[in-house]
């Protein structure tokens, strides 16, 4: 189950990185990780943050594969109260759902 350790390590060491002064440090970290640590293979496309471990298959799957469909009724719902699901929001929700119930804090960074 080395894949789970690698997944956790990637997010622990690189998850807080962001784009600063035009430099995408998450992208740089992703390339560094793929070039340096080769025992667990990440998909060639995308970054190491674009995937999670499917617990049934024990392999990396794209967050984009599990983005829920948005059901929006413009007649009864205000668009300002909707969070549009994306691969990024699904990843954030995964971490919040796993950290907060176990009383572990989470710090969200990046542009608002």
């Amino acid at each position: 189950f080395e894949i789970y350790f690698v997944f956790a390590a990637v997010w622990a060491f690189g998850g807080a990185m962001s784009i600063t002064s035009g430099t995408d440090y998450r992208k740089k970290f992703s390339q560094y990780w793929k070039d340096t640590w080769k025992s667990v293979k990440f998909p060639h496309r995308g970054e190491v943050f674009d995937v999670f471990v499917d617990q049934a298959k024990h392999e990396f799957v794209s967050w984009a594969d599990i983005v829920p469909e948005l059901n929006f009724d413009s007649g009864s719902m205000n668009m300002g109260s909707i969070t549009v699901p994306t691969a990024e929001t699904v990843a954030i929700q995964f971490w919040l759902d796993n950290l907060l119930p176990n009383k572990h804090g989470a710090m969200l960074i990046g542009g608002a």
Side-chain angles (χ1 to χ4, degrees):
F1 293 92
E2 185 178 16
I3 193 168
Y4 292 99
F5 175 80
V6 170
F7 174 68
V10 161
W11 279 90
F13 298 129
M17 294 182 179
S18 64
I19 299 172
T20 305
S21 299
T23 302
D24 188 343
Y25 289 101
R26 282 175 59 132
K27 191 171 195 163
K28 285 181 173 267
F29 176 86
S30 179
Q31 192 58 51
Y32 161 79
W33 191 276
K34 287 181 176 182
D35 290 345
T36 306
W37 310 103
K38 298 184 185 283
S39 62
V40 174
K41 301 288 186 203
F42 280 87
H44 293 291
R45 290 181 172 234
E47 311 303 333
V48 295
F49 304 104
D50 295 339
V51 294
F52 69 100
V53 180
D54 182 301
Q55 292 185 4
K57 300 177 187 175
H58 304 292
E59 63 185 34
F60 289 119
V61 176
S62 173
W63 292 110
D65 292 349
I66 62 167
V67 173
E69 182 179 325
L70 175 63
N71 295 315
F72 176 72
D73 177 14
S74 62
S76 64
M77 300 172 83
N78 178 0
M79 188 60 184
S81 66
I82 303 295
T83 299
V84 178
T86 65
E88 184 72 18
T89 60
V90 169
I92 291 168
Q93 191 64 51
F94 168 84
W95 288 111
L96 293 176
D97 288 347
N98 283 283
L99 291 171
L100 298 181
N102 295 306
K103 300 189 181 350
H104 296 290
M107 178 178 68
L108 302 178
I109 63 158

